[in-house]
Amino acid sequence: MKVYCRSGSIVNSLGSDIDQHWNGVLDQSTTLQPKQLFNGFDTFASYLSEDQWRQLQIDHGSKSKCALISIESINKALEGIDIDITDSVIIIATTKGDIQEIPQRLSKKNTSFYPYNIGIQIDNYFKSGIPTVVLSNACISGSQAIQLGASYIKSGKVRNAIICGVDLITEFTMSGFNSLKALSDEAARPFDRDRKGISLGEAAATLILSADSGAFNDQADIEFDGGIVTNDANHISGPSRTGEGLFTALSQLSKSIKKNPDAISLHGTGTIFNDDMESVALNRMGFDHIECFGLKGIYGHTLGATGVIESVISLLALAHNIVPATVNYSHPGTVEQLNILTSDTLKQLNTIFKCASGFGGGNCVLSFSKIDIS
């Protein structure tokens, strides 16, 4: 059974207009802005304003932040697409959910910070009849949720899968990355010689998969080929220096779908270890000549939302036959060569891979291909 990519949305500080997001990618605009931690450390991050959060609450009622922005994203993806919500599974991908609610735990004795609470709020809002699934597996959560959604469809359990990735800028998350000395004091520079680390971001993004054919965002007919998840079992927060997990995922995916990509959307966090690891894995695959791009110089690292955001942009790139530039990349700086573009490039694209890696050694690679309907 084929699984079709039908619609996608992104909601962050730039707004919820998907055309505006795509144009921002092409214009090499960034949503990263200065952010100071409680300890005085100056970094960059992408985050919604108080006015934007207030408007979401006006639009969708009294809900947690993750639920508010997820509902907005799902609604935007549902616009202009005719699917039966009662024959759809909703999957929420997040790393930390509403972790900002933890300080209230002792006084209010609630469980509002548990990720499953997002699912309850989504169920109450959309009333699909199928319990919302919440998936949390570090920074591959969004990508793995897409693979899970496709499995629901292929198994015949549902006709549609609505995958929404979401994470927030919180003191907890920023302090954690800062304790690892992973935050950059300037906007993230993926794969660049002078990269200093991560810029974090908050966002929600949705991808709707379906057993029923139709053009993705009215642009092109695209199917989900498949995905592979691996674990390199190397370190709780550091990737394998040999790129073993990502290499295995790339190798197994290429063999299973009998295709190689025309372009690759990389994880590209802007840390020394991640970007070097990806360069090693691609070099081992013989993919070092393939045009690659990273989006975290635009959106920051949005954790559980990353895989969905970057898949949606990859699908738009596929539809428009454009490989986007990597914002803030100027000079090669990885241990092995990568073909990172500094300007948007027109190229006939038929298949695109999306790579993601995360804490705990997880790796996930997805493949999307255009369908020839002529």
Side-chain angles (χ1 to χ4, degrees), residues 190-192 195 239-244 246-247 250 264-290 292-293 329 332-340 355 357 363:
F191 311 109
D192 192 82
R195 65 191 186 276
S240 165
R241 302 296 187 269
T242 63
E244 196 62 40
L246 183 57
F247 167 75
L250 286 164
I264 303 173
S265 170
L266 292 173
H267 195 52
T269 62
T271 64
I272 296 297
F273 291 143
N274 175 87
D275 295 3
D276 277 354
M277 179 276 292
E278 290 192 280
S279 76
V280 171
L282 263 65
N283 185 270
R284 290 179 63 185
M285 279 295 299
F287 285 174
D288 48 295
H289 65 287
I290 296 174
C292 298
F293 62 97
Y329 172 82
T334 51
V335 67
E336 298 289 350
Q337 178 181 326
L338 287 172
N339 189 5
I340 305 295
C355 298
S357 300
N363 299 273

Side-chain angles (χ1 to χ4, degrees), residues 187-244:
R189 306 178 69 174
F191 311 109
D192 192 82
R193 177 189 65 194
D194 300 318
R195 65 191 186 276
K196 295 182 177 181
I198 286 173
S199 298
L200 292 172
E202 69 182 358
T206 300
L207 175 61
I208 297 179
L209 302 177
S210 181
D212 301 313
S213 62
F216 174 76
N217 282 21
D218 296 322
Q219 300 288 334
D221 290 86
I222 300 173
E223 69 174 311
F224 173 72
D225 296 316
I228 297 289
V229 173
T230 62
N231 193 292
D232 57 36
N234 177 74
H235 188 270
I236 191 63
S237 63
S240 165
R241 302 296 187 269
T242 63
E244 196 62 40

